[in-house]
Amino acid sequence: MSEEGIHKELRVRRIQNGTVIDHIESGQALNVLKILGIPDSSQDVVSVLLNSHGKYGHKDVVKIESRELKAMEVDRIALIAPNATINIIRNYDVSQKKKVHIPEFVEGIVKCINPNCISNSNEPMTSKFNVASGNEKLVLRCSYCGRVISENIGEHLL
Ligand SMILES: [Zn+2]
């Protein structure tokens, strides 16, 4: 195999079964993994492609072998990768392709930026946010204190 051939082989290695998350905004792949609890809570084999050349510029791609993401997990990703597409792979074929849906409510994913918020105290409170979207911009409003996060959501993940 030529050097170019090997290179290509590495880049496009297909997975037999699992999930491919495509069209992640460049630089957000590691945050996507964080939201999915990888690797802390899983033994999944994961490959990450950073700054891949896509049709519309650079993008990140995440491939998770032998695991099909559930809708609830997928929608959490929308917080930081609203344009992501989810491909469920079965026997090397794409058996389902879907867009992520921005959830109206998220729990236990994002940390409130208000240091005095009860969700940041020693009380065992789970962080909760209502999500509003408009003009391609997401706005998260804390259910406890009302503080709004509208930028760099990826930097406020728990
Ligand atoms: Zn708060």
Side-chain angles (χ1 to χ4, degrees):
M1 196 182 286
S2 69
E3 200 174 313
E4 194 189 353
I6 292 169
H7 188 60
K8 200 171 177 188
E9 174 72 16
L10 283 175
R11 280 181 53 129
V12 300
R13 191 165 89 83
R14 301 199 305 161
I15 60 176
Q16 185 173 6
N17 294 296
T19 307
V20 175
I21 309 168
D22 200 356
H23 303 292
I24 300 168
E25 189 185 325
S26 202
Q28 294 294 334
L30 298 181
N31 284 332
V32 165
L33 294 182
K34 197 171 181 187
I35 286 186
L36 294 174
I38 294 171
D40 300 357
S41 66
S42 77
Q43 303 290 317
D44 304 320
V45 176
V46 176
S47 8
V48 177
L49 211 57
L50 301 174
N51 283 320
S52 173
H53 292 278
K55 211 189 292 181
Y56 307 105
H58 292 277
K59 62 175 184 176
D60 291 354
V61 181
V62 169
K63 300 181 184 186
I64 305 162
E65 296 187 32
S66 306
R67 175 170 161 198
E68 296 186 3
L69 289 185
K70 296 178 185 68
M72 198 187 75
E73 299 175 288
V74 166
D75 288 347
R76 292 171 165 192
I77 298 169
L79 288 185
I80 53 163
N83 300 314
T85 54
I86 312 295
N87 301 279
I88 303 293
I89 310 296
R90 290 180 189 151
N91 203 18
Y92 296 107
D93 272 334
V94 178
S95 80
Q96 276 180 55
K97 195 180 186 95
K98 51 195 171 193
K99 294 229 101 185
V100 295
H101 296 283
I102 294 162
E104 288 176 10
F105 184 76
V106 289
E107 204 174 319
I109 299 174
V110 178
K111 181 178 161 66
C112 184
I113 55 174
N114 172 6
N116 298 319
C117 179
I118 193 165
S119 68
N120 288 325
S121 70
N122 291 327
E123 302 289 324
M125 310 287 263
T126 309
S127 87
K128 293 179 186 172
F129 288 85
N130 283 301
V131 184
S133 56
N135 302 325
E136 299 189 0
K137 202 172 175 192
L138 286 185
V139 175
L140 272 59
R141 185 180 299 276
C142 177
S143 300
Y144 298 108
C145 71
R147 186 69 71 90
V148 163
I149 303 176
S150 59
E151 279 172 350
N152 304 325
I153 292 168
E155 291 173 16
H156 304 292
L157 298 178
L158 277 171

